[in-house]
Amino acid sequence: MAVYPIAAAEDIPPGTFRIVQAEGRSIGVYNVKGEYYAVHNYCPHQGAELCKGPICGTTLESQVHEYIYGRDQEILRCPWHGWEFDLKTGKSLFSGKVRVRTYPVVVVQGTISLVIGAKEATHS
Ligand code: FES
């Protein structure tokens, strides 16, 4: 397990992200409402640079003919074909079996670091 300092906390304010390189991997680090999450910059569908896609929300469960938007800034949409992933878990919104790899993020004394080699989620 290795810890990679990647930025000062103030350099990634809420609603923004940064793509970094660590251990030969391209990883997007996102500030979602004050919490940091990191995902592999590789879409499990056909390999697009996932982190070049928009950050958005999604429609929530609702009654028929009712559309309620929610979870703003928590969803990452692939720029190629629109698959959507939960930034907090890496899980796709359409299947519990499809996910993007995620990495733990720690913030110590104002420095954001990635933890690589810890128990990592994998995509299938
Ligand atoms: S490559 Fe990402 S949805 Fe197709």
Side-chain angles (χ1 to χ4, degrees):
M1 182 177 81
V3 177
Y4 293 87
I6 52 107
E10 65 265 21
D11 292 339
I12 308 178
T16 68
F17 71 102
R18 178 177 286 188
I19 297 173
V20 301
Q21 304 294 319
E23 274 197 5
R25 307 173 199 196
S26 179
I27 298 171
V29 181
Y30 292 80
N31 183 331
V32 180
K33 303 171 186 170
E35 299 290 329
Y36 296 95
Y37 300 94
V39 299
H40 195 189
N41 185 17
Y42 182 88
C43 181
H45 181 217
Q46 292 184 348
E49 290 184 80
L50 181 60
C51 299
K52 290 188 174 178
I55 305 165
C56 56
T58 188
T59 51
L60 305 178
E61 277 189 24
S62 60
Q63 300 297 317
V64 176
H65 304 299
E66 182 181 44
Y67 298 94
I68 302 172
Y69 182 80
R71 305 189 62 201
D72 191 39
Q73 300 178 24
E74 297 180 19
I75 309 300
L76 176 60
R77 183 181 303 139
C78 181
W80 282 8
H81 311 106
W83 284 18
E84 294 177 320
F85 299 89
D86 184 330
L87 279 169
K88 294 182 176 182
T89 65
K91 292 180 180 174
S92 72
L93 296 192
F94 62 91
S95 169
K97 295 180 180 177
V98 177
R99 58 188 304 148
V100 63
R101 182 176 301 212
T102 60
Y103 300 92
V105 179
V106 295
V107 182
V108 177
Q109 296 180 337
T111 298
I112 303 168
S113 298
L114 287 174
V115 180
I116 297 181
K119 183 180 175 192
E120 298 171 359
T122 57
H123 60 268
S124 56

